[in-house]
Amino acid sequence: AKYQLGWCHFRLGMEQKAIDDFREIALNSPYANLRDESLLWLGGYYFKKSEYDEAKRYFYDIIKKNPKTDIGVEAYFWLGCVYREKDNFDLAREQFRLIYSNFSNHYLAPQALLEEADILLNLNRYTEAIAKAKEVISKYPKSTLRKLAYEKVAYAYKDEKDYNHAIEYFKKAQGRTIDDGNAKIQYE
């Protein structure tokens, strides 16, 4: 009930009460899943407030206790986001890589690959960014992130001034065939 109370306080704009509720659960709940969910909530809350060091502390608490659980994977993902926001791209990539390398069937694996591709794209490391985004396309063909992966590849090619490949991948992102001079739509 305390966990739901925390959510209700948060939804009512009573942030401090919600924080207090989730901290109490994290410290005192006999149920590990509620403790971890509370830690994840607290970490996410502080992340959204751009209080990255505080957020990192909660994510590390989860990872320390449960590194191989679903919530542990979520904590790794959030930790990667913290490092990305703090411009520590090597540590961010390390967190994302850990997810898609060790938990390839987890729902966050394609997102982690795409996050790494995005970091590489922003670092002007186009060849590596293309490889990571194409990995999303090939390893996770049914992922909802496939279109975004095509777009990442297209932007990388565009930035490399390889406009023919850029056009090809922008069309794939739109669901078009490659040689569709008449802009025929191909639904997948």
Side-chain angles (χ1 to χ4, degrees), residues 4 15 27 59 96-97 121 139 153 158 164 184:
Q4 297 307 322
E15 290 183 3
L27 291 172
F59 299 138
F96 296 133
R97 192 176 308 117
L121 189 59
K139 283 188 174 181
V153 172
K158 182 180 89 50
N164 288 322
K184 298 174 190 167

Side-chain angles (χ1 to χ4, degrees), residues 89 93 116-130 152 155-161:
F89 300 120
R93 289 180 62 212
E116 185 171 9
D118 195 47
I119 289 169
L120 292 164
L121 189 59
N122 288 320
L123 293 173
N124 300 326
R125 293 167 61 179
Y126 304 120
T127 303
E128 293 171 85
I130 290 167
K152 297 281 182 211
Y155 280 111
Y157 280 131
K158 182 180 89 50
D159 290 346
E160 280 190 316
K161 300 186 182 353

Side-chain angles (χ1 to χ4, degrees), residues 23-39:
R23 280 188 180 148
E24 183 180 330
I25 295 166
L27 291 172
N28 301 320
S29 178
Y31 304 106
N33 63 326
L34 284 181
R35 284 193 308 268
D36 290 343
E37 287 288 340
S38 296
L39 291 169

Side-chain angles (χ1 to χ4, degrees), residues 80 83-97 119-120 122-123 125:
Y83 286 128
R84 183 195 60 219
E85 291 302 313
K86 293 182 78 166
D87 293 337
N88 191 334
F89 300 120
D90 289 336
L91 282 175
R93 289 180 62 212
E94 185 179 309
Q95 303 309 309
F96 296 133
R97 192 176 308 117
I119 289 169
L120 292 164
N122 288 320
L123 293 173
R125 293 167 61 179

Side-chain angles (χ1 to χ4, degrees), residues 5-188:
L5 185 63
W7 271 108
C8 291
H9 283 141
F10 178 69
R11 295 286 184 212
L12 288 171
M14 303 165 75
E15 290 183 3
Q16 190 56 54
K17 282 191 177 228
I19 290 167
D20 293 343
D21 291 338
F22 288 117
R23 280 188 180 148
E24 183 180 330
I25 295 166
L27 291 172
N28 301 320
S29 178
Y31 304 106
N33 63 326
L34 284 181
R35 284 193 308 268
D36 290 343
E37 287 288 340
S38 296
L39 291 169
L40 192 66
W41 185 92
L42 288 161
Y45 173 81
Y46 286 110
F47 177 85
K48 290 174 184 159
K49 293 284 191 181
S50 301
E51 294 180 34
Y52 301 122
D53 290 332
E54 187 70 10
K56 189 168 58 170
R57 185 172 68 88
Y58 289 107
F59 299 138
Y60 269 125
D61 267 0
I62 295 168
I63 291 167
K64 184 172 55 180
K65 295 173 189 165
N66 299 300
K68 296 181 180 181
T69 63
D70 278 346
I71 202 157
V73 175
E74 290 180 43
Y76 282 120
F77 185 84
W78 277 102
L79 194 55
C81 293
V82 165
Y83 286 128
R84 183 195 60 219
E85 291 302 313
K86 293 182 78 166
D87 293 337
N88 191 334
F89 300 120
D90 289 336
L91 282 175
R93 289 180 62 212
E94 185 179 309
Q95 303 309 309
F96 296 133
R97 192 176 308 117
L98 190 142
I99 294 168
Y100 67 76
S101 295
N102 298 330
F103 306 97
S104 61
N105 292 326
H106 194 277
Y107 78 93
L108 284 172
Q111 180 69 40
L113 258 171
L114 210 52
E115 291 290 337
E116 185 171 9
D118 195 47
I119 289 169
L120 292 164
L121 189 59
N122 288 320
L123 293 173
N124 300 326
R125 293 167 61 179
Y126 304 120
T127 303
E128 293 171 85
I130 290 167
K132 292 297 176 194
K134 282 184 175 181
E135 204 173 328
V136 172
I137 295 164
S138 67
K139 283 188 174 181
Y140 305 98
K142 296 183 189 227
S143 172
T144 56
L145 298 171
R146 189 171 182 199
K147 178 184 175 195
L148 191 54
Y150 278 127
E151 288 176 0
K152 297 281 182 211
V153 172
Y155 280 111
Y157 280 131
K158 182 180 89 50
D159 290 346
E160 280 190 316
K161 300 186 182 353
D162 183 347
Y163 300 117
N164 288 322
H165 278 111
I167 289 168
E168 174 186 344
Y169 279 88
F170 278 127
K171 286 180 179 182
K172 285 181 179 185
Q174 294 175 343
R176 296 180 180 178
T177 59
I178 296 169
D179 58 351
D180 66 349
N182 297 323
K184 298 174 190 167
I185 301 298
Q186 171 189 343
Y187 295 98
E188 297 181 31

